[in-house]
Amino acid sequence: MTSTLDTFPITRKWPARHPDRLQLYSLTTPNGVKASIALEETGLPYEAHRVAFDTQDQLSPEFLSLNPNNKIPAILDPNGPGGQPLALFESGAILIYLADKTGQLLPKDPAARYHALQWLMWQMGGIGPMFGQVGFFHKYAGKDYEDKRPLRRYVDESVRLLQVLDGHLKGRAWMLGEDYSIADIAIFPWVRNLVGWYEAGELVGFERFAEVRRVLDAFVARPAVQRGLKVPND
């Protein structure tokens, strides 16, 4: 019997061993692990495929057929709305979809739901782009630029965002208080990457943000987060 996924060109490059499961195309970047952590937290069965940047998998015709924006993560759910396959890209959209599909990680109360989405958008519009620029100018090719004003600009804005985050977390276990949500899954992989992979903790004075450090430690200690941070591992 032919799988419904066989009609999607991406499965020619990354064949589905388990076509009944949600297919994840990703890498262990801050945006990539948002999807894998959410999948691990919800317990939704999935199959992960590594999109290797070193061989420019993200620019292959097969990947572009799923995500014309050539970024990870992307998913292909054989059991989407109405029982039809759903192809989806953009990490924020994927988080919302997985939360809605499983009834987890987003509050049922409408006002609380919008508060979660508010912080998700804050990460996507602020923390992700700003921390990413700090990484480029501090660790990668940008570090060799003689003009240090771009780095200073992004460091200053990242510090401001950390101040916002630190103030919000006072008296709260998670972004929404006691309820862990996709807002946390969106934000804290980027915080972890800033002080870990980008080695920018001293640059932004991370030690002074006690509330952020507290919640980051709690986030990384979650078993589902630990598993999700390693996906895909092939």
Side-chain angles (χ1 to χ4, degrees):
M1 181 177 178
T2 303
S3 164
T4 56
L5 295 187
D6 292 341
T7 61
F8 290 85
I10 195 166
T11 62
R12 299 170 196 162
K13 186 174 178 66
W14 291 277
R17 297 183 297 272
H18 305 281
D20 57 322
R21 301 179 186 176
L22 184 147
Q23 306 292 304
L24 170 67
Y25 307 90
S26 193
L27 202 60
T28 53
T29 67
N31 281 334
V33 299
K34 291 181 195 175
S36 52
I37 289 171
L39 285 162
E40 290 291 337
E41 291 281 9
T42 60
L44 193 66
Y46 72 100
E47 179 179 347
H49 305 276
R50 186 174 188 271
V51 180
F53 288 174
D54 55 350
T55 55
Q56 295 194 317
D57 281 349
Q58 76 276 18
L59 299 178
S60 66
E62 294 86 354
F63 187 77
L64 291 173
S65 71
L66 183 65
N67 183 1
N69 196 39
N70 64 271
K71 302 291 184 181
I72 57 93
I75 63 170
L76 179 54
D77 187 359
N79 303 300
Q84 298 301 308
L86 176 71
L88 198 62
F89 64 88
E90 279 297 323
S91 59
I94 291 170
L95 286 178
I96 296 169
Y97 174 71
L98 295 176
D100 285 343
K101 180 181 177 73
T102 61
Q104 302 178 53
L105 302 174
L106 260 178
K108 302 295 189 294
D109 174 73
R113 175 186 173 89
Y114 282 116
H115 284 149
L117 296 179
Q118 157 186 276
W119 288 108
L120 171 62
M121 302 305 168
W122 180 78
Q123 179 276 308
M124 294 169 62
I127 274 189
M130 294 303 108
F131 287 12
Q133 292 287 9
V134 168
F136 174 77
F137 284 102
H138 179 60
K139 183 167 184 174
Y140 296 111
K143 69 179 183 299
D144 298 324
Y145 290 9
E146 290 185 12
D147 187 347
K148 299 305 178 184
R149 286 175 296 178
L151 173 60
R152 188 72 259 159
R153 170 190 171 126
Y154 293 119
V155 168
D156 289 347
E157 179 61 4
S158 294
V159 169
R160 188 192 70 80
L161 291 166
L162 286 168
Q163 290 170 338
V164 171
L165 184 59
D166 201 65
H168 175 74
L169 289 171
K170 288 180 180 178
R172 294 181 173 91
W174 302 104
M175 293 302 294
L176 300 185
E178 295 302 315
D179 295 328
Y180 176 79
S181 73
I182 60 172
D184 303 290
I185 294 174
I187 291 168
F188 286 99
W190 274 103
V191 176
R192 174 179 177 268
N193 209 63
L194 179 71
V195 299
W197 183 255
Y198 291 160
E199 301 173 335
E202 184 175 349
L203 192 64
V204 298
F206 190 67
E207 285 303 311
R208 60 186 147 150
F209 301 113
E211 301 298 329
V212 178
R213 290 189 288 109
R214 170 182 61 82
V215 181
L216 175 63
D217 288 345
F219 177 75
V220 174
R222 294 178 68 90
V225 171
Q226 293 176 18
R227 293 192 301 270
L229 288 170
K230 300 174 183 176
V231 177
N233 56 13
D234 58 354

